[in-house]
Amino acid sequence: MKEKNSYLKLKHKPNYDNEIIATFYGESKTSLKELAQQVAGESSIGTWTKLTTLSNKIFEKLAARIFYLNKKTGIFKIAYPLSLFEPKSIPQLLSSIGGNIFSMKAVKNLRLKDIEFPKKYINQFDGPRWGIEGIRNILKIHNRPIIGCIMKPKLGLTSTQNANLAAKIFQNGIDLIKDDENLTSLTFNKFEDRVKKVLFLKKKVEKETGQKKVYVFNVTAPVSIMIKRAKLVKKLGGRCIMIDIISAGWAAVQELRNQNLDLIIHGHRAGHSTFTRNKRHGISMLVLANLSRLAGVDQFHTGTVVGKMEGTAEEVCKINDLLKEDWREFDKLRENWGLIKPVLPIASGGLHPGLVSKLIEILGENLVINFGGGLHGHPQGSIAGAQAAVQSVEAATQGIPLKIYARNHKELKAALEYWKS
Ligand code: CAP
Ligand code: MG
C-alpha cells in the first residue's frame, strides 16, 4: 500500500446516499489525527501495519474516509462505503463501527456519538411492526399518554399473585402492565403459568371495562427459548412481548422481529449504561435508540429526566424526537426513514404521581408513563397507587395543578403527601 493511501481525506464530500456517516469524539495519547486514522482503519479494512494484501484497488473501494476533524472539540467524522456492511445485520455493523476501536491502546477515550444511515441501508430493515400509531390503535388511546405499571417486587410474586394483582391494576385504569427486566421464568413464577393466568384475567377485565389492555411479557432468554415464549404469548392471545435488548443482544432482537408474530415488541435497555453513561467513552444512547428503531422495537425505554435514572432533558428529548419523528424534521441532512415506523418512547424509573406534571412538561404526551415503586409503594397499596397514577395523568393533561386536583382525589392526595417531590 502506498503512503498516499491515508484514511484522512478532509476534502471528501460525504455521500449520504452511499455511505454510513459516524460521528466520534476522541481523546488520544498522541494526536487526534493519528487516533482518527487508527479508528478509520481498524473499523473498516486496516490494521496496525501496512499489508501486502491490501491493494490500492481495495483501498480506493472500501477504505473509510475521515472527512471532518476538529482538534479543539475532539470531534471527527468518518464516512464508510456501504459495501463494508452486510444488509440488515446490526451485529455486523457493530463489529465494525462499535468494535475493536474501543480497545486500542492509542485511545484514551472514544465515543461513538451518532450514526447516519443512507436510505438504502435503512430500507433493508422492517423496523417496528406497530409503531406509535399501531400501539395507540390497539389500545384505542389517541389523545393522552399511555399509563403503564411495572409489577413489583421485581421478583417474588407467584404467577397467581402476579395475575390477580395485574387484573386489579387494570381494573383501576392502568392501560399497560409489564414484567420487570429480570422476571423471566423462575421457580416461583414460571413463564407459561404467568402468561396463562394473566391473559385469562386480562380478557375478563377487558370485557368488564370495555377497555383494551396490554400486558408486556418478558421473553428474554437464549434465542430458541425466547422464540418459544413469544409464540406461546401469541398462541394464547397476548399482544406484547418484552426483550432486554442489551443482555439478549442485537441478533436476538432482530430474530424476534423476523418471526413476524404481529406482537408489539417492548425494548428494555437494562445494562446500557455500561457503555452509554460515560460521555467521553462508549456508544451514545442516541445511537442505541437509532439501532432499536431499525431492529424493529415498537416501544423503547429512553428515560424520564425527573426520575431515578440518569439522563438530561436535552438528551432524552433528542432521543424521543428521533424515535417519534422522521429525523429530517430536525436536520435536513439527516437520513430518510422511509416506511420505518416511529417508536413510542417509554418514561420509566423512579416515577410517582407527584412527578407527572413536570415529566409531561418536559417530554410531552406522546409516550408511555410507567410507575413501579411509585404505584406499589403507595401508602394505601397498589389499587390506590393505580388510581393516584391515573389521577395524576388526568390532572397534568388537563393542565390542572396536581395539588388542586388532589383536593377531590384522595388517592392522589395521599401520594403527594407521601412522596414529597
Ligand atoms: C422502574 C424499573 C425499570 C427502569 C429502567 C426498575 O421501576 O422497572 O426497569 O425504569 O430504567 O426496575 O427500575 P420503578 P430505564 O418505577 O420502581 O423505578 O427506563 O431508564 O431504562
Ligand atoms: Mg425494571
Side-chain angles (χ1 to χ4, degrees):
M1 190 183 91
K2 290 181 192 157
E3 282 303 323
K4 68 169 183 169
N5 284 342
S6 157
Y7 294 96
L8 197 66
K9 294 271 183 328
L10 295 176
K11 288 202 176 123
H12 175 72
K13 276 217 156 70
N15 178 341
Y16 287 87
D17 290 332
N18 282 308
E19 289 173 338
I20 290 183
I21 311 295
T23 303
F24 290 96
Y25 163 80
E27 285 172 31
S28 166
K29 289 182 180 154
T30 54
S31 73
L32 190 68
K33 225 185 228 179
E34 171 59 25
L35 175 79
Q37 292 258 27
Q38 290 201 26
V39 168
E42 187 70 38
S43 57
S44 61
I45 53 175
T47 187
W48 57 276
T49 184
K50 284 182 198 167
L51 298 167
T52 54
T53 46
L54 179 51
S55 65
N56 285 340
K57 201 171 155 202
I58 298 179
F59 193 90
E60 281 308 309
K61 200 171 155 223
L62 294 176
R65 296 169 177 92
I66 305 154
F67 65 91
Y68 174 88
L69 188 132
N70 185 329
K71 276 191 239 165
K72 274 194 195 136
T73 59
I75 300 291
F76 58 96
K77 296 188 180 212
I78 301 182
Y80 295 87
L82 213 45
S83 322
L84 288 170
F85 304 100
E86 182 180 344
K88 218 179 165 180
S89 172
I90 293 176
Q92 193 269 345
L93 175 86
L94 285 177
S95 297
S96 308
I97 296 179
N100 288 354
I101 49 178
F102 293 96
S103 313
M104 293 190 307
K105 283 185 177 162
V107 168
K108 213 163 133 201
N109 278 303
L110 178 68
R111 183 149 174 97
L112 173 57
K113 287 172 71 72
D114 203 352
I115 310 188
E116 293 164 73
F117 298 111
K119 191 174 177 183
K120 258 189 225 164
Y121 186 80
I122 289 176
N123 282 346
Q124 298 156 3
F125 292 86
D126 297 320
R129 160 70 181 87
W130 296 97
I132 296 180
E133 227 185 294
I135 297 166
R136 286 192 170 284
N137 285 340
I138 288 173
L139 279 164
K140 301 194 194 316
I141 299 171
H142 296 283
N143 52 3
R144 65 164 172 84
I146 289 160
I147 311 172
C149 160
I150 311 128
M151 294 305 288
K152 298 281 171 183
K154 280 175 187 279
L155 301 180
L157 301 180
T158 64
S159 53
T160 306
Q161 288 170 328
N162 193 131
N164 289 338
L165 183 56
K168 288 193 185 116
I169 293 168
F170 276 141
Q171 277 163 346
N172 283 278
I174 297 292
D175 309 306
L176 172 153
I177 302 180
K178 66 176 279 291
D179 288 343
D180 224 322
E181 67 279 357
N182 51 350
L183 177 61
T184 54
S185 192
L186 296 161
T187 47
F188 47 86
N189 192 334
K190 289 275 177 204
F191 186 83
E192 191 169 341
D193 296 341
R194 182 165 75 256
V195 176
K196 280 183 187 156
K197 290 172 189 170
V198 165
L199 289 179
F200 175 75
L201 292 181
K202 182 174 85 79
K203 273 174 208 152
K204 276 177 79 174
V205 176
E206 286 181 331
K207 247 189 172 170
E208 277 163 33
T209 60
Q211 296 162 354
K212 293 286 175 213
K213 305 286 180 184
V214 165
Y215 192 98
V216 184
F217 294 102
N218 183 5
V219 296
T220 303
V223 178
S224 56
I225 300 172
M226 181 184 76
I227 301 297
K228 270 192 201 148
R229 289 183 185 162
K231 286 183 175 166
L232 181 78
V233 172
K234 174 75 187 169
K235 190 172 140 204
L236 297 179
R239 298 197 171 100
C240 184
I241 48 178
M242 175 171 110
I243 176 165
D244 297 337
I245 64 164
I246 303 300
S247 51
W250 290 106
V253 181
Q254 287 201 260
E255 185 55 32
L256 201 55
R257 175 64 183 98
N258 289 344
Q259 293 289 318
N260 280 320
L261 294 174
D262 271 353
L263 296 167
I264 298 167
I265 299 179
H266 178 122
H268 197 290
R269 59 177 183 164
H272 72 96
S273 288
T274 50
F275 55 87
T276 60
R277 188 156 183 174
N278 179 344
K279 299 290 177 267
R280 288 154 65 186
H281 190 79
I283 299 181
S284 71
M285 193 41 221
L286 187 75
V287 170
L288 204 67
N290 197 341
L291 297 179
S292 298
R293 186 171 175 187
L294 279 185
V297 166
D298 294 282
Q299 49 189 30
F300 187 51
H301 288 247
T302 61
T304 64
V305 183
V306 297
K308 76 180 184 189
M309 301 303 201
E310 191 264 348
T312 63
E314 192 196 357
E315 190 189 6
V316 180
C317 287
K318 195 170 173 193
I319 293 164
N320 287 5
D321 287 345
L322 147 75
L323 292 177
K324 287 189 289 187
E325 316 281 348
D326 188 312
W327 274 11
R328 283 172 305 173
E329 297 285 326
F330 303 94
D331 179 345
K332 298 289 171 218
L333 274 183
R334 297 222 71 123
E335 65 270 60
N336 181 345
W337 280 82
L339 297 175
I340 304 273
K341 292 179 179 139
V343 175
L344 187 61
I346 302 166
S348 188
L351 292 182
H352 60 76
L355 295 173
V356 170
S357 295
K358 188 87 191 137
L359 175 89
I360 289 180
E361 199 182 294
I362 300 170
L363 298 179
E365 295 191 11
N366 203 4
L367 78 177
V368 178
I369 305 180
N370 257 344
F371 303 85
L375 184 153
H376 302 283
H378 190 286
Q380 291 147 14
S382 300
I383 293 177
Q387 291 166 343
V390 173
Q391 291 161 6
S392 69
V393 176
E394 281 168 3
T397 51
Q398 289 171 48
I400 303 171
L402 294 173
K403 273 192 185 151
I404 303 222
Y405 205 68
R407 286 182 192 155
N408 303 319
H409 296 87
K410 62 182 191 324
E411 295 80 12
L412 179 60
K413 188 164 183 275
L416 297 184
E417 279 165 8
Y418 189 62
W419 292 294
K420 295 186 181 74
S421 41

